[in-house]
Amino acid sequence: LGTRPKLADLADVALRGRQVRLVPAARGRIVAARKLLLDRAGEAGPVYGVNTGFGELASRRIAAADLGRLQVNLVRSHAAGVGEPLSPEASLAMLFLRANELAYGHSGCRPELVEALAALVNAGVAPVIPSRGSVGASGDLAPQAHAGLLLLGEGKARIRGPKGFGKPVSGAAALGLVRLKPCRLEAKEGLCLVNGTQAMQAVGGLALYRAMLASEAADAAGAM
């Protein structure tokens, strides 16, 4: 995590259970960005999404004691998707891509948040994410929020086993089965989880990968 993954890397993680880890250089970037964020938030002025509300509530200041609760409420309020769930492979791809994005060190989250996402990927715990509700290029807010619920021990998830993914269980049960604990969100970290386009990247990336395999198979069949 913290590098530029290729399409083959995405497929290996989502389809074949390849393990991921946070590289030391990326950890250093995350720590530095987190310090900068906290220093700025400690000043008198507002920092959007950190000590203020979101959207039309940007002018509403949030007390220091409520910064973590603000982030949890953001994730819960945006987990409003509908429709058939994404495939568990696409959900794992989302977790991987979001963790890698945060590992670049531009978002201001703690390294613990990135490692929590990586732990879910490595344990094969795929959040159940409704396929409808994204606002597109403005952000996959609803799908990302459903993925974020799993970190809180909420929502639902499926776990990859020797014969594929099992039936959906509660987020709390899924974490317990793989011996992981719910993550406690701190300042800005809910925003870090939901504000991205990793749902469309995951679905589109895996679709492209499968299309390339089909094309190669067609070429081979035609040549034979």
Side-chain angles (χ1 to χ4, degrees), residues 55-180:
E56 293 184 357
L57 298 176
S59 60
R60 181 76 60 86
R61 290 295 295 268
I62 307 299
D66 294 328
L67 298 186
R69 188 170 63 166
L70 173 71
Q71 302 303 313
V72 172
N73 288 345
L74 176 69
V75 173
R76 288 173 176 166
S77 66
H78 281 65
V82 296
E84 291 296 316
L86 298 175
S87 71
E89 292 84 1
S91 295
L92 279 180
M94 277 182 60
L95 295 180
F96 164 60
L97 291 172
R98 193 63 200 150
N100 193 69
E101 188 75 16
L102 296 177
Y104 293 145
H106 303 310
S107 302
C109 68
R110 293 170 298 144
E112 288 84 355
L113 186 70
V114 182
E115 290 170 338
L117 289 168
L120 292 175
V121 173
N122 290 338
V125 184
V128 174
I129 301 174
S131 58
R132 302 292 184 269
S134 172
V135 292
S138 295
D140 291 317
L141 304 179
Q144 301 276 153
H146 280 279
L149 283 180
L150 179 56
L151 282 177
L152 304 177
E154 301 177 14
K156 294 183 178 181
R158 299 174 64 184
I159 301 175
R160 174 183 274 150
K163 297 182 178 180
F165 287 90
K167 294 181 179 181
V169 297
S170 71
L175 294 183
L177 287 170
V178 297
R179 298 183 179 180
L180 295 176

Side-chain angles (χ1 to χ4, degrees), residues 6 19 21-22 27 43 52 57 63 74 76 80 109 114 117 119 141 161 163-164 171 178 203 209 213 218 221 223:
K6 301 183 183 301
Q19 301 286 280
R21 66 180 181 86
L22 184 63
R27 171 178 279 274
E43 298 172 358
T52 74
L57 298 176
L74 176 69
R76 288 173 176 166
C109 68
V114 182
L117 289 168
L141 304 179
K163 297 182 178 180
V178 297
V203 172
Y209 176 77
L213 291 183

